[in-house]
Amino acid sequence: MKNRRSSVTPVFYISLAIAFVFILWGAIFPANVESVLGTINDFISNKFGWVYLLAMTGFVVFALYLIISPYGKIRLGKQDEKPQYSYFTWFSFLFTAGMGVGLVFYGVNEPLTHFHNPPVTEGGTALAQQEALQYTLFHWGLHPWAVYAVVGLALAYFNFRHNAPLLMSSALSPLIGDRSKGWMGTTVDVIAVFGTIFGIATSLGLGATQITAGLSYSFDAIENNLFTQMIVVIIITIAFIASAATGVNKGIRYLSMSNVVIAIALMIFVFIFGSSITMIESFMTNTGNYLQNIVSMTFNMNSFVGDRGFLNDWTLFYWAWWIGWAAFVGSFIARVSRGRTIREFIIGVMGVPVLFSAIWFAVFGVAGIESDNILGGGLYSLIETQGNEVALFAFLENYPAAPLIMGIAILLIASFFVTSADSGTFVLSMLTTGGSLNPPLKIKLVWGAILAGTAMVLLLSGGLSALEMAMLIAAFPFTFIVIMLAISLYKALRSEHGIIQLEKQQLIFESDYREETEKELAEKREAFEETLPDEQPPEIEAESNEEK
């Protein structure tokens, strides 16, 4: 295998050029950007929405199959290797990278919006509340975490078990061979970087608007305007660049654990001062409805009844969003999952976050709808007039010690903001330095500045919606890359499992059997090794098992 030093690759320069052109376009011609991208996005949603639905379904089925398959015992690393991080730290990484900031942003907003505009039933009714919570959990449940699991597992398997670079292109070697090192591999990695840039920049834009809304709600002297949003972006950028300089085991790790603790504390506060019994019953009922109707919701294209607008604006939007985010989240999850078995990885990535999401939306969804009913629809009216970013703070304003709790909520959002950007700069640096697990600080600083600049320029030009559409469009080709990753992973697992089984049989049976199968085993090993990437990741260093 060829070992390389950590350095920027062509992917870095190509990705920079694409990002620069798009930012320039958005800054000079924001209306044109929204018009062009809106047309493309509508075309994909209306003509190829079924591709997203079938692909996401396939990812869920494939991930669940791996749990019960004989491949589940294979470890991401040496077979006797221990996990690098404890369960709490690992789950904190998953939660923060996967959707932490999204849960805070949409926790009240989405169930309340669905309550007033459900896909099938009449809005504002008890059935509408049930449908609202059910579809919210559907959008944040197994499907997003399945695509994260597929991408993350493919990268972790080839990197930690077979010492390949942590790159999408390298993970496709069993499927496309040496073309993974040529133009095809570069294209795959550029698409992954493109989705990551615009996904993180969109998150930064949303985070800045919500933090500004919270500050404006808490302090009369602070206005909710573009200037304040820019100041917030600059402050947070300084914070996440400082965090990025400390690496995964310090900055991201401690911030992730803090995020989980604060989020759980906020949820418990709302649970205690809200309708606790209703929330518990809602959690149980909603979980049952979700599991009972997951198949029909998964395949529902609103061909006969229901609102096609709901499908395009919510379900297909989310499916594209999760696929677009999978490059970033999958890469980061892979980086922190060394030492886990495949079964443990899938159960951890899909099980725990989905359970937490179900509890989160049961608490905030029920509380938000109840507050809106008490106010005679006032909370939803406020969202319609002032934007989605005010939902959480308008909701918390009605609770005891509102200024303190709103301050904690702002702190939580800012912390998620920093962690997401920090994780994003790490992943972008890794993807553009040949898969280095310890990318240079200067590359992190470059990507940090680009992410902040992208968010600021598009906020300035009013092009945040165009940025979202750009990421959704980028998600369409990446859908096929994830499908290829799943096929490549399955092909490699099947080959390696056959070798492992034959090796076990040689240990059990007599020497005559070992002699008879020695040639077969050698041929299988040789054929398998030929399909693996022939390059090592740059700067291979011993992983520290500093936390158990």
Side-chain angles (χ1 to χ4, degrees):
M1 290 188 177
K2 301 175 183 177
N3 201 355
R4 299 169 297 156
R5 297 182 64 185
S6 177
S7 61
V8 295
T9 63
V11 175
F12 177 82
Y13 300 106
I14 296 172
S15 302
L16 274 184
I18 294 175
F20 178 76
V21 169
F22 187 87
I23 292 170
L24 197 61
W25 183 25
I28 300 174
F29 305 108
N32 181 254
V33 170
E34 291 198 39
S35 175
V36 172
L37 295 185
T39 301
I40 298 173
N41 187 56
D42 290 343
F43 176 78
I44 292 175
S45 297
N46 291 321
K47 301 297 182 181
F48 296 101
W50 57 271
V51 173
Y52 287 128
L53 293 186
L54 288 181
M56 292 293 278
T57 303
F59 300 147
V60 172
V61 172
F62 179 61
L64 294 177
Y65 163 74
L66 289 178
I67 295 176
I68 61 175
S69 73
Y71 314 133
K73 294 181 180 179
I74 295 177
R75 193 170 292 276
L76 303 175
K78 297 177 182 178
Q79 203 57 33
D80 59 348
E81 193 169 348
K82 300 298 182 183
Q84 180 181 4
Y85 298 103
S86 69
Y87 277 118
F88 179 74
T89 304
W90 186 49
F91 291 142
S92 299
F93 281 139
L94 301 184
F95 175 79
T96 300
M99 55 184 58
V101 70
L103 288 179
V104 177
F105 192 91
Y106 287 103
V108 173
N109 173 47
E110 184 172 347
L112 186 56
T113 302
H114 293 342
F115 173 65
H116 284 275
N117 303 281
V120 178
T121 61
E122 182 182 353
T125 64
L127 283 176
Q129 182 172 352
Q130 177 177 308
E131 196 171 80
L133 293 173
Q134 180 179 311
Y135 269 89
T136 300
L137 181 56
F138 174 58
H139 293 150
W140 294 79
L142 291 173
H143 288 73
W145 289 99
V147 67
Y148 295 164
V150 170
V151 174
L153 181 60
L155 294 174
Y157 170 79
F158 287 106
N159 180 259
F160 297 133
R161 191 161 181 88
H162 298 292
N163 211 21
L166 202 64
L167 297 171
M168 307 286 170
S169 55
S170 297
L172 291 177
S173 290
L175 197 62
I176 63 177
D178 289 340
R179 285 173 292 182
S180 65
K181 294 179 291 184
W183 68 267
M184 187 177 293
T186 300
T187 301
V188 167
D189 291 334
V190 167
I191 292 174
V193 171
F194 184 77
T196 301
I197 290 173
F198 291 101
I200 296 297
T202 301
S203 176
L204 296 185
L206 292 175
T209 58
Q210 194 174 31
I211 291 173
T212 305
L215 291 172
S216 178
Y217 248 85
S218 303
F219 304 98
D220 294 335
I222 299 178
E223 295 184 11
N224 185 3
N225 55 28
L226 186 61
F227 177 76
T228 309
Q229 292 172 4
M230 293 297 175
I231 297 298
V232 168
V233 171
I234 292 172
I235 293 173
I236 297 298
T237 299
I238 295 172
F240 80 70
I241 287 178
S243 176
T246 64
V248 173
N249 283 326
K250 293 182 181 178
I252 301 177
R253 173 178 158 192
Y254 295 131
L255 280 173
S256 297
M257 290 190 289
S258 300
N259 291 344
V260 172
V261 172
I262 297 173
I264 292 175
L266 182 63
M267 183 172 62
I268 291 175
F269 173 82
V270 174
F271 175 78
I272 292 174
F273 288 96
S275 301
S276 305
I277 301 299
T278 304
M279 292 173 183
I280 295 173
E281 293 175 345
S282 173
F283 165 73
M284 297 175 66
T285 302
N286 194 39
T287 303
N289 289 337
Y290 168 64
L291 295 175
Q292 182 179 354
N293 296 289
I294 188 172
V295 175
S296 61
M297 289 189 295
T298 295
F299 289 99
N300 184 19
M301 293 291 295
N302 295 109
S303 297
F304 306 108
V305 296
D307 183 9
R308 176 74 189 201
F310 181 91
L311 176 69
N312 287 350
D313 295 341
W314 289 98
T315 304
L316 293 182
F317 171 85
Y318 270 127
W319 281 188
W321 185 284
W322 302 140
I323 292 171
W325 261 70
F328 155 56
V329 180
S331 298
F332 186 74
I333 290 175
R335 172 63 179 83
V336 299
S337 297
R338 182 168 195 152
R340 306 283 173 190
T341 64
I342 288 178
R343 181 170 294 117
E344 183 182 17
F345 178 91
I346 298 292
I347 292 175
V349 171
M350 290 184 67
V352 176
V354 173
L355 177 61
F356 188 90
S357 297
I359 298 172
W360 181 273
F361 284 112
V363 172
F364 283 91
V366 167
I369 292 173
E370 284 189 345
S371 294
D372 186 66
N373 288 334
I374 293 172
L375 296 172
L379 185 57
Y380 181 67
S381 297
L382 194 63
I383 293 173
E384 284 190 309
T385 56
Q386 297 190 29
N388 295 328
E389 61 269 17
V390 304
L392 177 65
F393 303 103
F395 161 74
L396 291 176
E397 197 174 27
N398 301 306
Y399 276 75
L404 174 62
I405 301 304
M406 290 164 68
I408 293 174
I410 293 172
L411 177 64
L412 178 62
I413 296 164
S415 183
F416 274 130
F417 193 165
V418 171
T419 314
S420 295
D422 190 348
S423 306
T425 56
F426 172 82
V427 169
L428 286 170
S429 302
M430 184 177 66
L431 292 174
T432 54
T433 55
S436 172
L437 297 183
N438 301 285
L441 175 60
K442 62 181 180 181
I443 303 298
K444 293 181 185 179
L445 296 179
V446 169
W447 283 118
I450 290 170
L451 290 175
T454 303
M456 292 177 69
V457 166
L458 285 152
L459 282 172
L460 184 63
S461 64
L464 192 58
S465 61
L467 185 59
E468 293 175 3
M469 286 186 287
M471 194 199 67
L472 300 183
I473 293 169
F476 188 70
F478 193 69
T479 302
F480 299 97
I481 293 175
V482 180
I483 293 172
M484 293 170 65
L485 283 173
I487 297 171
S488 179
L489 175 63
Y490 177 75
K491 183 178 180 181
L493 288 175
R494 185 176 61 179
S495 298
E496 183 170 10
H497 182 258
I499 294 172
I500 293 173
Q501 290 300 105
L502 191 55
E503 288 174 339
K504 287 182 178 179
Q505 290 173 351
Q506 283 197 329
L507 295 174
I508 296 173
F509 292 105
E510 300 295 330
S511 58
D512 291 344
Y513 177 84
R514 289 198 294 271
E515 293 177 1
E516 291 175 4
T517 58
E518 192 64 38
K519 182 178 180 182
E520 179 186 356
L521 181 59
E523 290 176 348
K524 283 189 173 184
R525 284 173 176 161
E526 183 179 358
F528 177 59
E529 289 174 0
E530 286 180 354
T531 66
L532 297 175
D534 64 355
E535 290 183 294
Q536 292 181 342
E539 290 186 329
I540 297 176
E541 297 179 3
E543 294 291 335
S544 62
N545 291 327
E546 59 182 87
E547 182 183 345
K548 298 296 179 189

